Amino acid sequence: MSDADPPYLRIAGELRERIATGRLRPGDRVPSTRAIMRDWGVALATATKALAVLGNEGLVDAVPRVGTVVAARRLHQQTPQRAARRPARPGARPGGALTVDRIVRCAVETADRDGIAALSMRGIAGRLEVPTMSLYRHVRSKDELVLLMIDATFGEEPYPAVAPTGWRETLAASARLQWASYRRHPWLAQVISLTRPQPLVNLFRIAEWNLTGLVPLGLGQQDLLDIHMTVCIFVRGVAIGLAPELEATEDTGLTGDEWADVDQPLIELLTNGPFPTFREVSGMGNYDLDLDRLFEFGLQRVLDGMEEMVSNR
């Protein structure tokens, strides 16, 4: 690797060498784009292109909710220098022709790995190894790209061909499918608008499913839409905590429980702050702040309240 090479190739070369020498082993996380930006002092597009080079060589894989990890297939006969200098076929583009689907898949992978704040048209172009302006022949803007990402991710989980029996079971199934989408893509809750619904087929599919289960109750429009919106808002409300927790875990290397055990300002506030009741309750044992458990607990309480409302109509 020469000093004359572009920065992204030099970074890719250093990471490739770590993989080749075993310092990074299969399954190990490689530095994220944010870590590369910090440690090498480069821009987001440069960091993204460096990881894209390794991805195109099959050395790393982007794993949702984990990050970029060393792939099971390691460098074999190639030295880092030979791998870096491997020539591409004239006119070849990694991954085939540029399409809307390919752009959206790349954008979703980027947001899954680095968060929605890291998403940019330049960064996507870097990962796809195409000129930035070529993206605009397929997607008019970043805002449009985000809409396509929302529609694609909510379309991953098919709704059953036959709905469950009963409105409560129907809403519960809908809520769990939404939660599964948010779980796979923690950034998703940050870009959904429920007060100004985005005109997307797979979002309106949720409304169609919910309302089809509710209409037989004979409720008025206000009640029907209030129930539908309350369920969607509840699921998104719990899911909004997914992305910050993942980012905090990545930045600190500590889980939420581990962080709470060592964060001195928090410990000081809980120990000496003017909150005797909270201190008494927290001292009863270790509280399990698990979002999956909290989602199920809250969902049942929301449905309990709706069931009481429906029975009194």
Side-chain angles (χ1 to χ4, degrees), residues 162-239:
V162 179
T165 301
W167 66 267
R168 179 168 178 143
E169 292 74 15
T170 297
L171 291 183
S174 171
R176 291 183 181 119
L177 287 170
Q178 293 174 62
W179 179 250
S181 296
Y182 289 127
R183 239 353 195 144
R184 282 194 303 273
H185 309 288
W187 52 270
L188 188 54
Q190 298 172 302
V191 295
I192 289 293
S193 174
L194 294 173
T195 56
R196 300 188 180 190
Q198 291 105 328
L200 302 173
V201 169
N202 287 315
L203 283 184
F204 276 81
R205 180 184 61 161
I206 297 171
E208 182 71 13
W209 172 277
N210 287 353
L211 293 173
T212 299
L214 290 168
V215 163
L217 294 174
L219 301 173
Q221 181 197 54
Q222 188 73 44
D223 286 339
L224 290 172
L225 292 176
D226 279 353
I227 292 173
H228 158 64
M229 290 296 296
T230 297
V231 171
C232 293
I233 288 171
F234 162 73
V235 181
R236 179 182 178 270
V238 181

Side-chain angles (χ1 to χ4, degrees), residues 21-97:
T21 58
R23 284 190 289 163
L24 285 173
R25 294 177 292 182
D28 286 351
R29 287 180 56 184
V30 301
S32 65
T33 51
R34 284 180 293 179
I36 292 174
M37 291 167 63
R38 181 188 65 239
D39 296 342
W40 275 271
V42 295
L44 174 62
T46 299
T48 300
K49 287 180 72 173
L51 291 178
V53 169
L54 299 177
N56 290 332
E57 293 174 0
L59 297 178
V60 299
D61 291 320
V63 179
R65 301 190 299 275
V66 174
T68 302
V69 302
V70 178
R73 183 172 67 84
R74 296 272 303 279
L75 288 174
H76 296 298
Q77 302 303 319
Q78 299 185 88
T79 64
Q81 291 77 12
R82 288 175 62 189
R85 300 296 184 181
R86 182 172 56 196
R89 298 191 309 275
R93 290 293 186 191

Side-chain angles (χ1 to χ4, degrees), residues 86-135:
R86 182 172 56 196
R89 298 191 309 275
R93 290 293 186 191
L98 192 63
T99 63
V100 172
D101 181 65
R102 187 173 167 222
I103 294 169
V104 172
R105 281 190 285 110
C106 181
V108 170
E109 290 171 2
T110 298
D112 285 348
R113 185 187 66 208
D114 300 321
I116 197 66
L119 186 72
S120 71
M121 298 297 273
R122 179 178 294 182
I124 297 303
R127 288 199 67 197
L128 294 173
E129 296 191 359
V130 298
T132 301
M133 292 308 297
S134 67
L135 300 183

